[in-house]
Amino acid sequence: MFKFNNINLDIWTETYGISFYLTYLSRWPDLCCVQEAPNGHMMGYVIGKAEGHGQDWHGHVTALTVAPEYRRLSLARKMMSLLEMVSDETYKGFFVDLYVRCTNSVAISMYEGLGYSVYRRVREYYGSLGLGRASKDEEDAFDMRKPLSRDPHRRSVRANGREFVVSAHDVS
Amino acid sequence: MSTALDRQIRPIYDALDTQSNKSAVLACNKVLKKQPNNVLVKALKALALVRLQKVEESLLLADEVLAKKPTDDGVLTAMMHVLRGLGRHSDIVAMFETAYKQHPQNEDLGTQTFFANVRVGNWKAAQQVATKMHKQFQDDRYLYWSIFSAVLQANDMATPEALRPVLLKLALRLISSGNTPSYFNPDRFYVHLLILRELEMYDDAATLLNHEIGQKICETSLVCDEIRRDIMKLKGACKQEGEQAKVKILEKKDRNWLEFLSLLDATFWDIASTSEPASEDVKAAVTEEIAKTRKVFSEAATVDGLKDRSGLLALLELEKRTKSHGLWTDACEIRMMAENYFSQFGDKACCYEDLLPYLAFEGEELEQWTSFLNSRKSFDTPDTLQRSINVYKLLRYNLTSAELTPELELARAQEYIKVYLDGLKFGVNLPDTELQPADDFAILVGHAYVSLWKLTGEESHLQSAAATLEYASARSKQSYRIRLLLIRIYHLLGAPALALDHYRLMNVKQVQTDTLSHLILSRAAMWSLAPLGDITYMSECMEASQIYMSNSTETAEFIARAFSTERYSQIIDFIEFEDRLDNSLQRDLMKVEHVRMRVAHEPLNAELVDMELIELKFIFDRIHHDNRDFEVIPNYQPRCQPSFNEQTLPLKPPGAGWLSAYLKVYIRAFQEASDLDETLPLRERLVKKRQEEIDDLSEDEKLFYEYTLALSEWVGPYHDYVRPPPSALLAEAAKSNDLKPGHPLKSMAAAANGSATNGHSKKDEEPPAVKESPELIPKFFDDMKSRFDAVISGTALPSELLHIVATTQEAYLLFALETVRFKPNSIIKQYKFGQLAQSFKDLRVKASSILNEMSTVLAKLGEEVATPDGRKAFVQASSSIQDSSGFDHDFVLGVAKKTTDARKQTYEGIAKGLAKVVKNHS
């Protein structure tokens, strides 16, 4: 946390209180990972957790971020695959899911490239970035999922997820 | 609990939950009327009271509850919050221990007792509780709690050296006594490995690690893998590690940089592991290894292509190490590798930082490298733009001092501006939440102008830098890097308000305040208008200090939680994190800044003096961690120059030495001014100067430091004589029972008068003879005056001027602080201090006139700077950026207006502040 300024000063990355980070580290340290450059600078990090009941038991990507100067190097891809691997092998989850702003097309296409698909659209999940924007799309999130080896029949995903809308109150 | 009672208690909890603490107290009183001995309600009332800051009442109730030795879950939980609020952490431990003793079968109470010890870091007691629990409940989890508590006790600084191995051996013995082997889960396995490593039992650790399950765990658990690497290295099994790494790199396509480092270490092991000069045979063998490793890395690089840069970076590192071990074969190898890397990853932003360690070229190599780079400039697409940015940065890095003339730098600045403005076309359609791809060119402009300023000493270059960067910041609103440069430049230009604006726009929060608040709060007292009642910087200090509060309330809780989830691998990190924040250098630097501003802001009464004395003494003996982040400030200056950070610091950043010097200055002054009994005998240490303190101070601060020493040496004996004895103070305190503990007096003057009239002043010895003031004291003010005059007539920056003014003002305030006790006429008469009072008066008059003069000059400067002429001068100074480019005159004028207005505001505010300080303390 003393070294993450180059990442967290970027607007897309939120800086949380101590308890946020320590909650994740004290419960799912193996779903949290930092990538460092050879010179010791932080390049990016991922924070995840395992949650849900029964068939819904899954890995969740809470935060995934890469410093501006280390973008376009497939770092996110590598961190995602680590998280998927741990969710699969250690936590035996059925799928991995994540939320992304509907306007963040770069991220969405990256996740699609990694095998994720939209499961549903969550209304007003994010705070507004300010007035005078395409605020609907900005505040809504796509819940994207990718099935793991415990779900060989792909029960955790569906094809028409973009049309499936829920409100933010209905999700945890 | 009966339903009737439940009905009565429910509203109390509801009120507490909604923070309606007043109604919670009322609800409690209602129940207590009927059941005056209800312990739970008493505990809840104590909680509401502590939240209402009614500490004394809460203390009384809490003690009543504790005396009942509660064991009820609800009472204990409420009391835990109460005691935490009162800062009585050890009482929490005692409370749970007492409860657990009464009900040794209660597992929950045992757990709570264990956690209470964990929260305060009492590992020995924690270990004993866990051992007891393990015996009682036969759960391996408690066994590991006890094992890890022993490990932590061994790690604790307070544990004697000889006891450490004993504790670790105990822990190891306990592991083998468990029902399940340690590889039952990764964190237990980690604990086992950790103990073996600390005991240097590397072979035993290797046996565990080579076991099938051990290997499996290391594959998925990064922490276990990390400690595995460490153990193998300590064991000297570098070559074996290298072999494994080779397999991982080639077959499993593992691109963890640590694997590459393992292979590199293995390659040079035969040379690097001994201090003896290597024989020719060894050299030949290593050379052979190098060739093999080169093949591995080349293969990785070829397979990956553009997908991963590890292979190419590893090749560079390989050549660099080859050279450093004197096994150089071909002089151009590193350059070729660098070119190779650039050809593949030259259009990525990370290219510059990746290549930096390998580029210290000279002579012919440098020429070739330069011409290689020069041929790679192009600006057709966003990708080639990024590549060109890298080219410009890399070229700049290797500039020699001969190439850093003002003319050439100016030409460079103009070229950077040109390519910056051209490059903006690639970002026209981007939303304003995106960064402009050409931003780094603007950052280079800033660097070139700062370098020009350093070369010529002309302030105009800083103004050009500010104008360009403002332009870029308006186009790339989210670029914190541009703001970082602006913050530094505005401070140099004497426009701290603008620096603060940019800092606030960066939205620094939470733990970032510890690492980044130095940007605006280093020596903030020199910018502060506290004498005028402006508390901007004081509140910034308070706000930035919030994180230390949440650290002390939250982090310990997570250490306990990590025990409950058995995440032992995180606990050591959490403890270190807590310690680094708790003992952060920046934390106490801010504290000292706050005190410096407070002294200028508030009347110098006993409340201020006693409170700050206690608080400063509390931090005096801390061992500090410097968490400040200077790395985040971009640096693209040539390697023969200091970094941008170093160039733009108005003064050397305050470090541990600076902190120690200023703590001594203020503790000494407060101690003399205070009537509080000296509980810690610090005096001898307070007058001792240390070299590291002197080294950390600016020239003016050094003079100031000497001045304060002379002052307190002179005035100290009179304070000691006049200070009322503790018995008089106690009597005084007893008389006024509305005073809080720790603040026995309302004002010093009252105390002095009181002691005089109460007749407590009869002393056996004669008052110390009145001595003339040491020469150093008036001389200090004269010196500062001449420093001020010299700077005014020279070309120094506003920041230097303000530093001199602030230091003089601070000296004046300390003088006031050291002499306030002797102000009342009764004191002067009683102790025959007439002559002393006269010396004080003479000095005060002298210092006042110097401060007043400074004030007049500053006010005049302030007026001059913000006139149309002043702005015109600014615009003209920045003519170089207009000549070369499409920067319009109005834009530069706008920046000029903002900067000069901000400077005027600072000058005038500080001038008025000086006058006010003089008036308040004359």
Side-chain angles (χ1 to χ4, degrees), chain B residues 558-574:
Chain B
F558 283 96
I559 298 173
R561 273 200 220 172
F563 266 104
S564 86
T565 51
E566 288 205 74
R567 296 302 191 182
Y568 304 110
S569 59
Q570 301 302 310
I571 291 173
I572 291 181
D573 285 351
F574 287 4

Side-chain angles (χ1 to χ4, degrees), chain B residues 518-548:
Chain B
H518 70 86
L519 288 167
I520 50 154
L521 294 177
S522 259
R523 289 190 177 90
M526 83 189 231
W527 314 112
S528 159
L529 306 182
L532 296 181
D534 176 343
I535 54 162
T536 310
Y537 281 99
M538 291 171 79
S539 8
E540 282 292 337
C541 284
M542 298 305 280
E543 226 165 274
S545 300
Q546 281 301 319
I547 188 68
Y548 308 113

Side-chain angles (χ1 to χ4, degrees), chain A residues 1-30 32-41 43 67-75 77-78 82 85-86 89-91 104 106 129 133 138, chain B residues 187 216 219-222 255 257 307-309 313 345 347-351 353-354 357 383 386 431-435 478 480-481 484 506-512 514-516 547 550-551 554-555 558 561-562 565 567 569-570 574 576-577 580-581 627 629 631-632:
Chain A
M1 269 191 251
F2 296 116
K3 286 169 68 188
F4 68 18
N5 289 322
N6 62 329
I7 299 176
N8 278 39
L9 286 173
D10 190 60
I11 57 152
W12 295 118
T13 307
E14 178 65 22
T15 302
Y16 300 96
I18 292 176
S19 58
F20 174 87
Y21 300 103
L22 298 196
T23 303
Y24 279 88
L25 287 171
S26 63
R27 295 186 61 184
W28 309 280
D30 40 1
C32 303
C33 160
V34 168
Q35 285 213 331
E36 268 182 22
N39 63 8
H41 289 184
M43 302 196 288
E69 63 270 32
Y70 293 104
R71 289 187 188 150
R72 297 171 54 240
L73 293 167
S74 324
L75 295 185
R77 198 176 290 263
K78 285 172 196 159
L82 174 86
M85 193 231 345
V86 177
E89 292 185 11
T90 308
Y91 290 92
N104 195 345
V106 180
L129 285 176
R133 298 164 181 281
E138 223 164 62
Chain B
D187 275 80
K216 188 92 189 133
E219 272 172 33
T220 49
S221 163
L222 285 172
R255 292 297 176 261
W257 182 245
K307 271 197 221 137
D308 197 291
R309 62 202 212 279
L313 281 177
F345 295 101
D347 55 2
K348 306 281 184 191
C350 62
C351 168
E353 294 201 332
D354 276 352
D383 276 354
Q386 181 58 56
D432 65 356
T433 46
E434 289 295 311
L435 299 169
Q478 307 307 335
Y480 68 85
R481 287 150 53 87
L484 287 169
M506 282 177 16
N507 199 14
V508 167
K509 55 183 170 180
Q510 300 291 351
V511 70
Q512 290 175 316
D514 182 45
T515 53
L516 292 175
I547 188 68
S550 54
N551 179 47
E554 289 170 25
T555 308
F558 283 96
R561 273 200 220 172
T565 51
R567 296 302 191 182
S569 59
Q570 301 302 310
F574 287 4
E576 194 201 332
F577 177 80
R580 279 184 66 172
L581 271 182
N627 306 325
D629 187 355
E631 290 265 299
V632 75

Side-chain angles (χ1 to χ4, degrees), chain B residues 107 123 138 161 244 304 466 474 504 709 715 771 780 784 797 816 859:
Chain B
E107 200 166 346
W123 306 121
Q138 290 297 320
E161 201 65 46
Q244 281 187 19
D304 294 345
R504 287 183 173 151
L709 279 168
V715 191
K771 276 193 271 180
F780 171 81
M784 294 315 276
L797 287 172

Side-chain angles (χ1 to χ4, degrees), chain B residues 55-106:
Chain B
V55 177
E56 310 242 328
E57 277 179 73
S58 180
L59 273 173
L60 285 175
L61 266 179
D63 285 338
E64 273 179 46
V65 176
L66 286 181
K68 292 267 187 298
K69 299 186 177 169
T71 57
D72 174 70
D73 189 39
V75 180
L76 291 172
T77 313
M79 282 307 289
M80 191 165 77
H81 292 290
V82 174
L83 294 171
R84 218 183 272 173
L86 294 170
R88 290 168 58 176
H89 297 284
S90 49
D91 284 344
I92 304 182
V93 178
M95 177 181 76
F96 280 116
E97 263 167 8
T98 316
Y100 184 38
K101 246 180 226 153
Q102 296 174 69
H103 299 279
Q105 306 80 17
N106 187 327

